[in-house]
């Protein structure tokens, strides 16, 4: 049978190949182009190759060298437009190595002024259609993107293409972003994960450019002129260095035509060759030890391995999964739970395309256990050299990899990242398929062979971040496609079940919620809800904790038990064929956990370790300080995870009583969504949950809690970290107060953006170089909460930043909000919200929460209407109604405060 649609599509592509596309607006010279953009069409770029690939992917090449990749995904009316620039990134900066030029350009070019549009005009246009724009830099590329509603894809293509060709480099913008980069450099120096990773790369690589951080070094950056950075843009940001990717609810021919039109007049640039010094073979162990403020030992153990193109990569990747992926992996099961030597452990096989990579184990441990933890980590790694991996372990790791490949394609953003990354590193946008196929072919013998070849004691690189005074050098011996509407069903026992068919991918999610969480706790029992969540998968009458973990890891499932402020919940996402058995084990854990004492002792110690580690992170430290000063009769006063004294007092019996009281069907919502037959899924839920007896006298926890701040509160806590943290909190309405909550949401967007930085506070404080970040949003839920403003700054500017924040709060109360900025915020919030919850797990969670809170499972659909109903005067009203007394907490080193303005 003739496929007329396909025939028409091919005719259209043939026309693209033969003729240059017409431009829709006059082009201007600038950026990387050295000639007029108004030259005759005959000299314009045209497509020289168009390939239609599986999975609705199209790969095309313009005559000027630009690569265009398009994938149609019609699950949601959203799209992402991305452009990756190869021959950039820290490893490809050539004679400018160490300056971080690629990262600086990421900041300056993304959303910055072009020869066609000012920065404010670009921001206004993106905000108007509810888009979000950002960029990121790695060691081998820089990627820019605009996420948008599908109907605005062509405008997003035009804006991003403009940035890639015509950056203007306005001096004021240049200087502002350089200040931000310098602040990032300073902040990275006090970030333990960043320092650990930087030291690891500098230990593994002695001469290759991969040893240098993406962000560069401050001293080198300070010596780099603006013109050097601009020249780098003009040399590297040329079509033959760029890969343009569009994924979403789009039509491929229209996207190809738009991309060709936007780049038609920009010529091919000189081909880029960046020579790199070859890394010599490592012949002896290496070690780096550094003391750093903190209470844990953070460790990395690494061995040099292979490039992305080497066939040994597949066996190495599986070895990493067997060692450190999932709760039943060797390192996690034996070192974290069985022997309790580490607080965390993971393994990674890093194989770049441009240099031989490394196999690494990362772990964090307490001071009293880091030495035996180091020994056990090496013992587990070297076991791979001597013992064959078991058939079940190998099968589990392969299943995890296959499941990961499916999960990574859920959102348009992750799909676009995979297509662009795979093409830039392998010349195949669908390399992921080849990768999964080759993973399935790996044998236990091959894993042992690569372990013997690469994971040898003489090639070990070890990095240790120790607490201050704790850097005792270890000895040499130690070092050796279809969907339906949501359907609500009430079972006879009171359980509410939400069902939705969504067959785009062969996967299913199950979410189960009960009203509990911190709301059910008191100061004496704080942390109980979290411990219940941690214990639900630690053993039942039928299965041990290890058996539970091994099963979910063996199917590549994503399984977790969690606690929030108002709920305890379980989450399961797995492949369709595994769902019946996975759901049965999920229900067994959620409803019939036995809370075994031996497992509780381990979980309790891990919880206490997590509480102690809050002091390592200024964000956690300031959050705890805020909770301490919020009204004592508000559930927000209790920090999730609890306090050490309360957690020590809690027993396994306390957790059993909590589960018995709150995990009842008339306090529960279960959602099942994905590639299901709804009637069959309902029958399964009835079998698993229908026998649960309702609590006849059960009274759900009340959401009626006061949040009044009786008097202004200010407190400051000292820290050894060279940073300043600020949190300012006012009263806020709960989500059940629909009108006020909508107005407060828009007020937050006006003041500091929505989901992405912006608004008054960001523009003023970030523009003046006073903060690294500033955000404002309601911290609230069904119980009325608080509107919080969070900023990270330099210690000596805290008072100045606080004064400016308070001036902006007063500005809102005085009604000094422009009609245009109100409308822009309104449109931006509506559009960005529409782009959220695009995975089935996120949709199931939101529907279940809304149903549990009494809003109705389809409450999310009313979001746009509720926001559109808000008037400008409502923002002023809620500002005056709620912005009264405040709680101000700050974190800074001693004697670091400056005077206010």
């Amino acid at each position: 049978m003739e496929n007329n649609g396909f025939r028409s599509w091919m005719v259209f592509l043939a026309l693209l190949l033969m003729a240059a596309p017409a431009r829709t607006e006059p082009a201007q010279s600038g950026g990387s182009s050295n000639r007029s953009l108004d030259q005759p069409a005959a000299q314009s770029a045209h497509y020289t190759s168009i390939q239609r690939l599986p999975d609705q992917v199209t790969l095309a090449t313009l005559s000027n060298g630009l690569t265009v990749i398009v994938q149609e995904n019609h699950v949601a009316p959203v799209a992402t437009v991305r452009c990756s620039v190869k021959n950039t990134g820290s490893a490809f900066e050539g004679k400018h190595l160490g300056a971080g030029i690629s990262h600086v350009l990421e900041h300056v070019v993304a959303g910055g002024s072009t020869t066609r549009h000012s920065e404010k005009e670009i921001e206004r246009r993106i905000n108007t259609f509810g888009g979000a724009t950002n960029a990121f830099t790695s060691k081998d590329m820089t990627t820019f993107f605009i996420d948008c509603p599908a109907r605005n894809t062509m405008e997003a293509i035009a804006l991003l293409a403009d940035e890639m060709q015509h950056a203007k480099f306005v001096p004021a913008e240049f200087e502002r972003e350089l200040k931000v980069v310098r602040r990032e450099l300073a902040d990275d120096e006090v970030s333990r994960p960043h320092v650990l990773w930087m030291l690891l790369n500098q230990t593994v690589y002695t001469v290759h450019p991969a040893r240098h951080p993406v962000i560069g070094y401050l001293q080198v950056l300070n010596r780099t002129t603006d013109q050097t950075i601009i020249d780098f843009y003009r040399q590297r940001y040329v079509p033959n260095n760029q890969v343009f990717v569009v994924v979403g609810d789009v039509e491929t021919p229209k996207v190809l035509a738009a991309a060709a039109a936007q780049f038609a007049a920009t010529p091919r640039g000189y081909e880029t060759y960046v020579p790199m010094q070859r890394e010599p073979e490592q012949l002896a162990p290496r070690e780096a030890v550094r003391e750093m403020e903190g209470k844990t030992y953070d460790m990395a153990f690494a061995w040099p391995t292979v490039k992305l193109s080497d066939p040994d990569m597949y066996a190495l990747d599986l070895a990493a999964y067997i060692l450190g992926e999932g709760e039943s992996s060797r390192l996690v099961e034996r070192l974290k739970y069985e022997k309790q030597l580490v607080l965390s452990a993971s393994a990674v096989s890093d194989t770049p395309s441009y240099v031989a990579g490394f196999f690494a184990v990362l772990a964090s441990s307490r001071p009293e256990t880091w030495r035996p933890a180091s020994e056990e980590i090496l013992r587990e790694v070297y076991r791979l050299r001597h013992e064959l991996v078991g058939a079940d372990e190998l099968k589990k790791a392969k299943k995890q990899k296959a499941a990961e490949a499916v999960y990574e394609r859920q959102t348009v953003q992750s799909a676009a990242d995979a297509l662009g990354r795979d093409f830039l590193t392998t010349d195949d946008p669908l390399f992921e398929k080849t990768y999964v196929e080759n993973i399935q072919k790996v044998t236990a013998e091959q894993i042992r062979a690569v372990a013997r070849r690469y994971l040898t004691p003489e090639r070990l690189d070890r990095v240790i971040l120790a607490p201050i005074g704790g850097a005792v050098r270890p000895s040499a011996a130690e070092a050796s496609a279809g969907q339906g509407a949501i359907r609500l069903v009430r079972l006879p026992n009171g359980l509410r079940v939400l069902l939705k068919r969504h067959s785009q991918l062969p996967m299913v999610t199950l979410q189960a919620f009960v009203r509990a969480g911190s709301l059910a706790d008191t100061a004496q029992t704080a942390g109980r809800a979290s411990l219940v969540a941690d214990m639900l998968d630690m053993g039942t009458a039928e299965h041990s904790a290890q058996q539970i973990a091994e099963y979910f890891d063996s199917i590549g499932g994503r399984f977790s038990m969690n606690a929030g402020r108002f709920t305890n919940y379980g989450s399961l996402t797995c492949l369709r064929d595994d769902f019946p058995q996975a759901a049965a084990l999920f229900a067994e854990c959620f409803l019939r956990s036995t809370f075994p004492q031996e497992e509780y002792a381990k979980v309790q110690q891990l919880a206490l370790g997590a509480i102690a580690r809050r002091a390592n992170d200024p964000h956690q430290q300031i959050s705890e300080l805020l909770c301490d000063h919020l009204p004592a009769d508000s559930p927000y006063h209790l920090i999730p995870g609890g306090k050490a004294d309360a957690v020590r007092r809690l027993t396994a019996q306390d957790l059993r009583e909590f589960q018995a009281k709150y995990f009842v069907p008339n306090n529960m919502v279960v959602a099942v969504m994905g590639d299901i037959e709804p009637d069959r899924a309902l029958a399964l839920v009835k079998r698993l949950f229908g026998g649960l007896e309702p609590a006849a006298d059960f009274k759900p926890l009340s959401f009626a809690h006061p949040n009044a701040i009786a008097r202004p509160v200010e407190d400051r806590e000292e820290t050894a970290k060279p940073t300043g943290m600020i949190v300012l909190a006012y009263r806020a309405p709960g989500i059940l107060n629909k009108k006020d909550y909508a107005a407060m949401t828009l007020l937050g967007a006006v003041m500091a953006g929505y989901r992405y930085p912006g608004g008054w506070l960001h523009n003023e404080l970030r523009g003046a170089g006073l903060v690294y970040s500033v955000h404002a949003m309601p911290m609230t839920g069904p119980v009325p909460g608080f509107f919080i403003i969070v900023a990270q700054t330099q210690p000596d500017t805290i008072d100045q930043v606080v004064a400016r924040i308070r001036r902006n709060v007063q500005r809102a109360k005085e009604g000094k909000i422009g009609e245009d900025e109100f409308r822009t915020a309104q449109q931006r919030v509506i559009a960005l919200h529409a782009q959220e919850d695009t995975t089935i797990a996120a949709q199931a969670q939101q529907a279940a929460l809304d149903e549990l809170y009494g809003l109705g499972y389809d409450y999310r659909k009313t979001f746009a209407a509720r926001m559109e109903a808000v008037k400008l005067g409502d923002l002023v009203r809620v500002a005056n109604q709620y912005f009264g007394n405040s709680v101000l907490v700050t974190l800074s080193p001693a004697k670091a405060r400056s005077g206010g303005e």
Side-chain angles (χ1 to χ4, degrees), residues 372-446:
S374 300
E375 296 172 359
E376 287 297 323
I377 287 170
L378 292 176
R379 186 173 292 115
E380 289 295 338
V381 171
Y382 293 146
R383 270 185 64 200
L384 295 172
R385 294 167 45 83
H386 309 300
E387 301 175 11
L388 286 175
V389 172
D392 289 341
E393 272 190 307
L394 182 57
K395 181 180 178 181
K396 176 181 68 177
K398 290 180 178 181
K399 192 64 174 286
Q400 286 175 317
K401 278 292 188 183
E404 181 183 65
V406 173
Y407 299 146
E408 282 186 350
R409 291 184 285 137
Q410 288 189 79
T411 66
V412 296
Q413 291 85 359
S414 59
D417 281 341
L419 290 168
R421 180 184 65 247
D422 284 354
F423 181 79
L424 282 169
T425 55
T426 70
D427 290 325
D428 178 6
L430 296 177
F431 172 73
E432 182 179 72
K433 288 181 173 294
T434 302
Y435 176 84
V436 173
E437 291 173 2
N438 287 332
I439 282 287
Q440 303 308 312
K441 299 175 184 176
V442 173
T443 65
E445 288 77 12
Q446 288 174 320

Side-chain angles (χ1 to χ4, degrees), residues 27-39:
Q28 303 174 34
S29 62
S32 60
S33 176
N34 295 317
R35 64 179 186 139
S36 170
L37 299 186
D38 292 320
Q39 291 189 8

Side-chain angles (χ1 to χ4, degrees), residues 518-534:
S518 301
L519 185 62
D521 283 334
T522 65
Q524 290 70 40
T525 63
R528 182 178 53 168
S530 295
L531 285 172
V532 168
D534 292 339

Side-chain angles (χ1 to χ4, degrees), residues 167-236:
K168 191 174 182 180
F169 299 105
V170 176
E173 297 173 17
F174 219 133
E175 184 55 34
R176 180 195 67 211
E177 294 304 318
L178 283 171
K179 287 182 180 178
V180 173
V181 171
R182 292 185 182 107
R183 184 60 202 166
E184 278 190 62
L185 281 160
D187 289 338
D188 281 351
E189 284 300 312
V190 296
S191 166
R192 290 178 74 90
H194 172 83
V195 172
L196 182 69
W197 191 253
M198 181 181 70
L199 285 177
L200 176 59
N201 279 269
Q202 291 177 344
T203 305
V204 172
Y205 302 112
T206 58
V207 298
H208 193 277
R211 74 188 312 267
H212 301 295
V214 171
I215 200 169
Y217 305 99
L218 182 59
Q219 291 181 338
V220 182
L221 175 61
N222 286 338
R223 296 197 306 269
T224 305
T225 66
D226 293 356
Q227 190 58 49
T228 297
I229 298 171
I230 294 170
D231 290 343
F232 189 89
Y233 170 87
R234 290 176 173 159
Q235 293 162 7
R236 305 292 174 90

Side-chain angles (χ1 to χ4, degrees), residues 601-612:
K602 301 173 186 177
V603 167
Q604 186 181 42
Q605 287 304 309
L606 289 171
L608 291 170
I611 292 171

Side-chain angles (χ1 to χ4, degrees), residues 137 178 278-279 362 445 518 623 673 677 785 879 888:
T137 303
L178 283 171
R278 181 178 177 275
E279 182 67 28
L362 307 175
E445 288 77 12
S518 301
S623 296
M673 299 185 184
E677 291 295 337
L888 172 65

